[in-house]
Amino acid sequence: MSRASVPDQAQLLWPTIQAVRTLGGSGSIDEIVETVLEQQDFTEEQQQVLHGDGPRTEIEYRLAWARTYLKYMNLLVNSRRGVWALTERGRSVHREEIPGLHAEVVARQREELRAKRRAQQSKGISAEAEQQIDDEQDWREQLLDVLMSVSPAAFERLAQRLLREAGFISTTVTGRTGDGGIDGLGIYRMSLVSFPVFFQSKRYRGSVGSSAVRDFRGAMAGRGDKGLLITTGTFTAEAKAEATRDGAPPVDLIDGRRLCDLLKEYELGVRTETRVVEDVRVEKDFFADL
């Protein structure tokens, strides 16, 4: 399926507002994306369309632009921790107002570009907006590219190390398929109790569908009732629904974004450096009172 089958960012503006309202007025990027997917009833095929060569899907990429434009429309604000929240205007805006507000932003962006970068006009998108999209995903995309390039054995060792760092007291690889994924059993300790967890970790570009969750659960049948499915890609809304389906053993899902965050949290191949920036301002009134 081509990228043309995915709604453009302008068509995703109102669904994004609806999603944040559903979440209570604020939400993380993952929560907003998941809620939009659920409410707009995208097909699995649409959710699997990659932006370029991935790892992001086209829907994720266009939703990132939708959030940025809603920020310029003064309907959303975002914190340094990646939480997006409705402004007072965003809480009361009506659907029919969105096209006009969007058109005003596009016109303003185009005018700024003509004034500042006449030689670099790019359909009304400023360098600042482009940089915001890049910053939101840049280090994760670099990390996922690295994960896709390592050997299957190295990826298996990384997955084992991550589970141990996260509290698994034993991790055993039970099968080596040679395609970059691992299947194994871990013992997870939580306070005074411990329990076995079957896990599968697989490098993948694009979205993992519900069939992968059903297959994994089928492999667990008769052996255990706790499962962990890890991927470098994303999970479709149908996959997430299948993972928590009533009457079936639950399967916890870790997508590429969450995998990157965990590697960052446990400092596995990711180093965070804190920079201190000073804003110096001269207070003229101080000298006037001398």
Side-chain angles (χ1 to χ4, degrees):
M1 183 173 288
S2 68
R3 285 186 288 176
S5 66
V6 177
D8 62 29
Q9 58 89 8
Q11 294 172 299
L12 292 171
L13 295 171
W14 180 246
T16 300
I17 291 290
Q18 285 183 303
V20 181
R21 286 178 177 177
T22 298
L23 292 166
S26 66
S28 67
I29 292 172
D30 288 345
E31 288 176 321
I32 295 171
V33 171
E34 183 174 350
T35 303
V36 170
L37 292 178
E38 291 175 349
Q39 293 182 336
Q40 299 305 307
D41 198 27
F42 289 112
T43 66
E44 287 202 322
E45 288 77 11
Q46 286 176 306
Q47 296 174 54
Q48 291 170 345
V49 176
L50 293 177
H51 176 68
D53 295 329
R56 272 187 294 179
T57 64
E58 189 64 29
I59 289 178
E60 288 180 307
Y61 178 77
R62 296 184 186 186
L63 280 173
W65 274 116
R67 292 190 299 273
T68 296
Y69 269 101
L70 288 169
K71 181 176 181 178
Y72 288 144
M73 293 157 66
N74 296 317
L75 302 179
L76 280 183
V77 293
N78 64 311
S79 70
R80 293 173 59 186
R81 295 186 176 183
V83 175
W84 291 76
L86 292 169
T87 63
E88 182 177 354
R89 183 75 180 94
R91 289 192 291 271
S92 61
V93 71
H94 298 290
R95 181 172 189 168
E96 58 269 20
E97 298 177 83
I98 296 296
L101 294 172
H102 179 245
E104 291 177 7
V105 169
V106 171
R108 186 167 67 246
Q109 294 281 357
R110 285 176 176 163
E111 182 60 33
E112 290 175 357
L113 281 177
R114 281 193 289 268
K116 296 178 181 179
R117 296 188 175 185
R118 295 182 180 276
Q120 299 181 15
Q121 292 185 13
S122 57
K123 300 181 181 180
I125 298 172
S126 71
E128 179 184 354
E130 187 75 57
Q131 187 62 48
Q132 180 169 340
I133 299 296
D134 289 343
D135 289 346
E136 185 177 285
Q137 295 289 342
D138 183 53
W139 73 269
R140 292 186 180 89
E141 290 192 354
Q142 291 183 40
L143 178 55
L144 290 172
D145 284 340
V146 171
L147 294 178
M148 293 297 295
S149 68
V150 301
S151 69
F155 190 65
E156 292 171 354
R157 291 193 296 270
L158 176 64
Q160 284 183 292
R161 172 75 180 278
L162 175 60
L163 293 176
R164 289 189 175 108
E165 295 284 355
F168 282 71
I169 59 177
S170 174
T171 57
T172 304
V173 176
T174 59
R176 298 179 181 271
T177 62
D179 65 352
I182 75 167
D183 297 301
L185 174 66
I187 306 299
Y188 185 70
R189 173 176 291 169
M190 181 181 295
S191 187
L192 300 177
V193 299
S194 60
F195 48 87
V197 179
F198 283 93
F199 60 87
Q200 185 180 78
S201 179
K202 193 167 188 176
R203 295 181 301 175
Y204 192 82
R205 289 190 182 274
S207 294
V208 176
S210 56
S211 60
V213 178
R214 286 193 294 270
D215 291 344
F216 179 45
R217 185 181 282 129
M220 290 167 45
R223 304 171 63 189
D225 59 1
K226 297 289 185 182
L228 179 63
L229 183 56
I230 307 170
T231 180
T232 51
T234 60
F235 293 100
T236 65
E238 290 79 3
K240 294 173 182 177
E242 177 63 31
T244 56
R245 177 167 54 86
D246 289 342
V251 175
D252 288 305
L253 305 178
I254 296 178
D255 62 11
R257 183 183 180 85
R258 178 60 177 151
L259 176 59
C260 289
D261 289 341
L262 287 170
L263 293 176
K264 176 175 176 285
E265 178 181 347
Y266 294 110
E267 299 182 335
L268 297 175
V270 182
R271 183 174 61 183
T272 301
E273 296 180 350
T274 301
R275 293 181 296 177
V276 177
V277 179
E278 289 184 336
D279 291 323
V280 181
R281 181 180 61 185
V282 176
E283 297 180 336
K284 296 181 179 179
D285 291 345
F286 170 83
F287 298 96
D289 294 334
L290 291 176

